[in-house]
Amino acid sequence: MSVRVVIADDQAMVRAGFAALLGAQEGIDVVGEARDGEEAVEVVRELAPDVVLMDVRMPVLDGIEATRRIAEYDTSVRVIMLTTFDIDDYVFAAIRAGASGFLLKDALPAELVTAVRVVARGDALLAPSVTRRMIERFATVPAVRRPAPEVLAGLTDREREVLVQVASGKTNLEIAHTLFIAEQTVKTHVSRVLGKLGVRDRAQAVVVAYESGLVVPSAQD
């Protein structure tokens, strides 16, 4: 089945460009557009897309608040935040609002197409530059000041190992090779980790891993 996409951006030329690019891809259908965050929420409720490309800065309602409302309404909709600004606050606010991906608008066309396919299948996506900045931000907070929350107590030793690998940005296949287990087993562990942490996808799991102190940034270099 095709991935159904809604594009939310206040610039008509940007919407048209994204629509032309994605519409030309096999297995991707652009089913709607929105000019601001409020309209994006309405369009999503009407069309129930699989993925939303959401600009951060929009009139009436910004993309982060629109994402939060969409996530509260339908947890199956995946949101990719798009912005021209590589700013830490946007990254964290977007992920906490429920975004599954974060890309800069100057990303290559192939990267955008890949992002849509990645989040549509339930994975999370963060641009390499965003991941680096996330690690740098957590590196400024001493681990001793970040005690692990009680929620981590429910993870098994193997699940903690998998979470550490997820936080390093590895794919399921890479984790399987690192831990010498089957890829399907990794998928099962990841699913259980998400459930126990009460997060919707890998992006939010990464935040928990760093904020809890389970992962120390310097150990990932």
Side-chain angles (χ1 to χ4, degrees):
M1 295 180 63
S2 295
V3 178
R4 305 174 73 252
V5 179
V6 163
I7 301 170
D9 195 292
D10 60 332
Q11 298 183 42
M13 289 293 289
V14 172
R15 295 198 306 274
F18 287 155
L21 169 63
L22 295 175
Q25 308 301 314
E26 182 178 358
I28 298 179
D29 291 329
V30 178
V31 297
E33 298 181 11
R35 296 164 295 182
D36 57 60
E38 186 173 283
E39 186 174 26
V41 175
E42 296 174 353
V43 171
V44 168
R45 290 183 176 180
E46 177 183 354
L47 301 177
D50 301 302
V51 176
V52 180
L53 295 183
M54 183 81 74
D55 187 22
V56 170
R57 291 186 172 183
M58 291 188 291
V60 185
L61 192 69
D62 65 50
I64 293 174
E65 179 57 30
T67 296
R68 182 175 293 107
R69 296 185 186 184
I70 290 172
E72 291 175 350
Y73 173 75
D74 188 346
T75 58
S76 68
V77 179
R78 303 294 176 178
V79 176
I80 299 175
M81 303 300 299
L82 293 168
T83 181
T84 55
F85 303 94
D86 188 4
I87 300 177
D88 293 342
D89 288 345
Y90 285 162
V91 178
F92 291 92
I95 291 175
R96 290 192 175 96
S100 295
F102 193 102
L103 284 178
L104 302 182
K105 285 186 175 179
D106 62 0
L108 297 175
E111 293 176 328
L112 178 59
V113 174
T114 297
V116 169
R117 297 190 190 282
V118 166
V119 300
R121 64 173 181 254
D123 291 330
L125 180 142
L126 293 174
S129 63
V130 171
T131 302
R132 286 196 300 272
R133 290 170 71 87
M134 177 182 290
I135 292 174
E136 289 169 1
R137 171 164 174 166
F138 282 112
T140 65
V141 182
V144 294
R145 297 182 183 178
R146 295 181 274 120
E150 293 182 0
V151 66
L152 289 185
L155 301 182
T156 65
D157 289 342
R158 176 60 85 183
E159 288 166 351
R160 286 178 180 243
E161 289 179 332
V162 170
L163 178 55
V164 169
Q165 297 300 316
V166 169
S168 72
K170 292 181 179 178
T171 64
N172 286 344
L173 182 58
E174 291 171 336
I175 295 173
H177 289 163
T178 299
L179 300 181
F180 302 102
I181 56 179
E183 184 178 4
Q184 184 57 48
T185 301
V186 174
K187 293 180 181 179
T188 299
H189 284 313
V190 171
S191 178
R192 289 175 178 170
V193 167
L194 298 183
K196 290 181 179 181
L197 295 181
V199 297
R200 59 182 286 165
D201 56 35
R202 297 165 83 106
Q204 292 182 324
V206 170
V207 173
V208 172
Y210 281 106
E211 287 189 329
S212 69
L214 176 64
V215 174
V216 179
S218 60
Q220 300 300 309
D221 296 335

